């Protein structure tokens, strides 16, 4: 497996371009898309929003408000259990530093870590 630290900026550029291409392709096919990849900046979210606008599809940002210390504890636990994909603390902290909290100009719904995921999904995502 390749770690985040092994990737150069040019690698990330290719990865993100492919991600944007796949989002557009799936939307064109009439599918709903949930992208759980790191789109940390407003600029990156705007690129996805432009794809949606071009295809007349609504885009929504789901902002998960889990505190950083809780995330780090889960990251450390995952090093032991290996239940999820491994992310280094360094990569996590770099991503957290890059994160721009969505503002009122973005179509955003928030998920509070204290809420049951099933309840939140029922309230926000199921018609």
């Amino acid at each position: 497996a390749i770690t985040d630290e092994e990737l150069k900026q040019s690698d990330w550029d290719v990865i993100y371009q492919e991600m944007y291409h796949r989002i557009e392709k799936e939307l064109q096919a009439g599918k709903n898309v949930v992208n759980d990849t790191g789109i940390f900046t407003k600029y990156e979210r705007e690129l996805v929003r432009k794809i949606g606008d071009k295809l007349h599809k609504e885009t929504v940002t789901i902002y998960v408000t889990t505190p950083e210390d809780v995330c780090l504890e889960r990251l450390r636990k995952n090093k032991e259990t290996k239940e999820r994909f491994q992310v280094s603390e360094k990569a996590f902290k770099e991503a957290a530093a890059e994160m721009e909290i969505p503002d009122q100009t973005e179509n955003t719904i928030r998920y509070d870590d204290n809420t049951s995921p099933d309840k939140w999904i029922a309230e926000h995502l199921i018609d």
Side-chain angles (χ1 to χ4, degrees):
I2 297 173
T3 65
D4 289 350
E5 288 81 10
E6 295 174 81
L7 297 172
K8 296 179 256 164
Q9 184 58 50
S10 59
D11 299 321
W12 284 113
D13 293 344
V14 170
I15 291 166
Y16 271 68
Q17 286 307 310
E18 178 64 20
M19 176 187 67
Y20 297 132
H21 172 73
R22 288 183 184 195
I23 290 169
E24 185 168 359
K25 181 180 170 189
E26 296 301 316
L27 289 174
Q28 286 173 331
K31 296 179 182 178
N32 291 324
V33 176
V34 175
N35 178 13
D36 66 348
T37 310
I39 300 180
F40 305 113
T41 67
K42 185 173 182 174
Y43 173 77
E44 292 166 333
R45 293 188 297 271
E46 189 59 33
L47 291 175
V48 174
R49 202 170 329 284
K50 285 179 181 180
I51 293 168
D53 290 348
K54 180 172 87 172
L55 299 172
H56 308 289
K57 305 287 185 178
E58 179 183 20
T59 58
V60 176
T61 297
I62 300 173
Y63 177 56
V64 180
T65 61
T66 306
E68 188 171 331
D69 61 330
V70 173
C71 293
L72 284 168
E73 179 58 35
R74 290 176 182 170
L75 185 76
R76 291 173 187 135
K77 181 180 176 190
N78 191 54
K79 275 187 172 180
E80 297 169 17
T81 64
K82 297 182 179 13
E83 293 175 7
R84 296 182 181 86
F85 179 79
Q86 299 290 305
V87 175
S88 72
E89 260 188 65
K90 179 180 184 250
F92 172 80
K93 288 181 178 183
E94 287 172 356
E98 187 179 345
M99 180 66 195
E100 294 176 4
I101 297 171
D103 63 29
Q104 67 280 4
T105 66
E106 299 178 72
N107 187 12
T108 304
I109 53 178
R110 296 174 187 272
Y111 173 73
D112 179 321
D113 195 52
N114 296 317
T115 305
S116 151
D118 291 336
K119 179 181 178 196
W120 186 88
I121 289 168
E123 289 175 359
H124 292 90
L125 301 179
I126 299 175
D127 291 333

PDB file of all heavy atoms in Angstrom, residues 10 17 27 32 49 63 76 91 103 114 121:
ATOM      1  N   SER A  10       2.167  16.197  -7.743  1.00  0.00           N
ATOM      2  CA  SER A  10       1.705  15.784  -9.075  1.00  0.00           C
ATOM      3  C   SER A  10       0.847  14.518  -8.999  1.00  0.00           C
ATOM      4  O   SER A  10      -0.106  14.360  -9.762  1.00  0.00           O
ATOM      5  CB  SER A  10       2.891  15.575 -10.018  1.00  0.00           C
ATOM      6  OG  SER A  10       3.763  14.584  -9.508  1.00  0.00           O
ATOM      7  N   GLN A  17      -8.031  14.870 -10.105  1.00  0.00           N
ATOM      8  CA  GLN A  17      -8.640  15.013 -11.428  1.00  0.00           C
ATOM      9  C   GLN A  17      -9.483  13.788 -11.765  1.00  0.00           C
ATOM     10  O   GLN A  17     -10.570  13.905 -12.315  1.00  0.00           O
ATOM     11  CB  GLN A  17      -7.582  15.267 -12.501  1.00  0.00           C
ATOM     12  CG  GLN A  17      -7.002  16.665 -12.458  1.00  0.00           C
ATOM     13  CD  GLN A  17      -8.070  17.744 -12.490  1.00  0.00           C
ATOM     14  OE1 GLN A  17      -8.956  17.728 -13.329  1.00  0.00           O
ATOM     15  NE2 GLN A  17      -7.996  18.680 -11.548  1.00  0.00           N
ATOM     16  N   LEU A  27     -22.768  11.480 -12.150  1.00  0.00           N
ATOM     17  CA  LEU A  27     -23.893  12.413 -12.202  1.00  0.00           C
ATOM     18  C   LEU A  27     -24.532  12.420 -13.588  1.00  0.00           C
ATOM     19  O   LEU A  27     -25.759  12.454 -13.713  1.00  0.00           O
ATOM     20  CB  LEU A  27     -23.444  13.824 -11.810  1.00  0.00           C
ATOM     21  CG  LEU A  27     -23.108  14.030 -10.337  1.00  0.00           C
ATOM     22  CD1 LEU A  27     -22.533  15.429 -10.121  1.00  0.00           C
ATOM     23  CD2 LEU A  27     -24.316  13.798  -9.444  1.00  0.00           C
ATOM     24  N   ASN A  32     -26.842   9.468  -7.868  1.00  0.00           N
ATOM     25  CA  ASN A  32     -26.449  10.326  -6.766  1.00  0.00           C
ATOM     26  C   ASN A  32     -25.030   9.937  -6.383  1.00  0.00           C
ATOM     27  O   ASN A  32     -24.659   8.767  -6.456  1.00  0.00           O
ATOM     28  CB  ASN A  32     -27.367  10.141  -5.560  1.00  0.00           C
ATOM     29  CG  ASN A  32     -28.759  10.664  -5.827  1.00  0.00           C
ATOM     30  OD1 ASN A  32     -28.934  11.658  -6.506  1.00  0.00           O
ATOM     31  ND2 ASN A  32     -29.754   9.972  -5.300  1.00  0.00           N
ATOM     32  N   ARG A  49     -19.021  21.646  -6.875  1.00  0.00           N
ATOM     33  CA  ARG A  49     -20.276  22.386  -7.055  1.00  0.00           C
ATOM     34  C   ARG A  49     -20.442  22.822  -8.518  1.00  0.00           C
ATOM     35  O   ARG A  49     -21.538  22.765  -9.079  1.00  0.00           O
ATOM     36  CB  ARG A  49     -20.285  23.592  -6.114  1.00  0.00           C
ATOM     37  CG  ARG A  49     -21.662  24.113  -5.807  1.00  0.00           C
ATOM     38  CD  ARG A  49     -21.695  25.145  -4.691  1.00  0.00           C
ATOM     39  NE  ARG A  49     -20.706  25.039  -3.629  1.00  0.00           N
ATOM     40  CZ  ARG A  49     -20.726  24.156  -2.624  1.00  0.00           C
ATOM     41  NH1 ARG A  49     -21.675  23.266  -2.559  1.00  0.00           N
ATOM     42  NH2 ARG A  49     -19.793  24.166  -1.705  1.00  0.00           N
ATOM     43  N   TYR A  63     -20.734  18.354   6.536  1.00  0.00           N
ATOM     44  CA  TYR A  63     -19.590  18.705   7.381  1.00  0.00           C
ATOM     45  C   TYR A  63     -19.697  17.935   8.692  1.00  0.00           C
ATOM     46  O   TYR A  63     -20.640  18.118   9.466  1.00  0.00           O
ATOM     47  CB  TYR A  63     -19.560  20.213   7.623  1.00  0.00           C
ATOM     48  CG  TYR A  63     -18.455  20.649   8.550  1.00  0.00           C
ATOM     49  CD1 TYR A  63     -17.134  20.326   8.277  1.00  0.00           C
ATOM     50  CD2 TYR A  63     -18.734  21.386   9.685  1.00  0.00           C
ATOM     51  CE1 TYR A  63     -16.115  20.717   9.123  1.00  0.00           C
ATOM     52  CE2 TYR A  63     -17.716  21.787  10.538  1.00  0.00           C
ATOM     53  CZ  TYR A  63     -16.415  21.452  10.254  1.00  0.00           C
ATOM     54  OH  TYR A  63     -15.406  21.833  11.094  1.00  0.00           O
ATOM     55  N   ARG A  76      -5.412   6.493  16.482  1.00  0.00           N
ATOM     56  CA  ARG A  76      -4.476   5.685  17.279  1.00  0.00           C
ATOM     57  C   ARG A  76      -5.037   4.289  17.544  1.00  0.00           C
ATOM     58  O   ARG A  76      -4.315   3.294  17.469  1.00  0.00           O
ATOM     59  CB  ARG A  76      -4.139   6.412  18.571  1.00  0.00           C
ATOM     60  CG  ARG A  76      -3.308   7.659  18.331  1.00  0.00           C
ATOM     61  CD  ARG A  76      -3.093   8.487  19.581  1.00  0.00           C
ATOM     62  NE  ARG A  76      -2.432   9.731  19.228  1.00  0.00           N
ATOM     63  CZ  ARG A  76      -2.787  10.921  19.696  1.00  0.00           C
ATOM     64  NH1 ARG A  76      -3.789  11.044  20.561  1.00  0.00           N
ATOM     65  NH2 ARG A  76      -2.146  12.003  19.315  1.00  0.00           N
ATOM     66  N   ALA A  91      -0.173  12.831   8.340  1.00  0.00           N
ATOM     67  CA  ALA A  91      -1.096  13.107   7.233  1.00  0.00           C
ATOM     68  C   ALA A  91      -2.418  13.661   7.758  1.00  0.00           C
ATOM     69  O   ALA A  91      -2.986  14.592   7.178  1.00  0.00           O
ATOM     70  CB  ALA A  91      -1.337  11.844   6.416  1.00  0.00           C
ATOM     71  N   ASP A 103     -18.789  27.709   5.026  1.00  0.00           N
ATOM     72  CA  ASP A 103     -19.453  28.918   5.520  1.00  0.00           C
ATOM     73  C   ASP A 103     -20.885  28.986   4.988  1.00  0.00           C
ATOM     74  O   ASP A 103     -21.360  28.084   4.314  1.00  0.00           O
ATOM     75  CB  ASP A 103     -18.641  30.164   5.173  1.00  0.00           C
ATOM     76  CG  ASP A 103     -18.505  30.392   3.675  1.00  0.00           C
ATOM     77  OD1 ASP A 103     -19.400  29.998   2.898  1.00  0.00           O
ATOM     78  OD2 ASP A 103     -17.491  30.986   3.260  1.00  0.00           O
ATOM     79  N   ASN A 114     -22.187  13.445  18.246  1.00  0.00           N
ATOM     80  CA  ASN A 114     -22.990  12.926  19.356  1.00  0.00           C
ATOM     81  C   ASN A 114     -24.339  12.390  18.904  1.00  0.00           C
ATOM     82  O   ASN A 114     -25.105  11.882  19.718  1.00  0.00           O
ATOM     83  CB  ASN A 114     -23.210  14.024  20.404  1.00  0.00           C
ATOM     84  CG  ASN A 114     -21.901  14.450  21.042  1.00  0.00           C
ATOM     85  OD1 ASN A 114     -21.069  13.619  21.382  1.00  0.00           O
ATOM     86  ND2 ASN A 114     -21.702  15.744  21.181  1.00  0.00           N
ATOM     87  N   ILE A 121     -29.207  10.309   9.415  1.00  0.00           N
ATOM     88  CA  ILE A 121     -29.504   9.975   8.021  1.00  0.00           C
ATOM     89  C   ILE A 121     -30.999  10.072   7.762  1.00  0.00           C
ATOM     90  O   ILE A 121     -31.437  10.652   6.768  1.00  0.00           O
ATOM     91  CB  ILE A 121     -28.942   8.582   7.659  1.00  0.00           C
ATOM     92  CG1 ILE A 121     -27.413   8.647   7.581  1.00  0.00           C
ATOM     93  CG2 ILE A 121     -29.536   8.074   6.342  1.00  0.00           C
ATOM     94  CD1 ILE A 121     -26.741   7.292   7.524  1.00  0.00           C
TER      95      ILE A 121
END
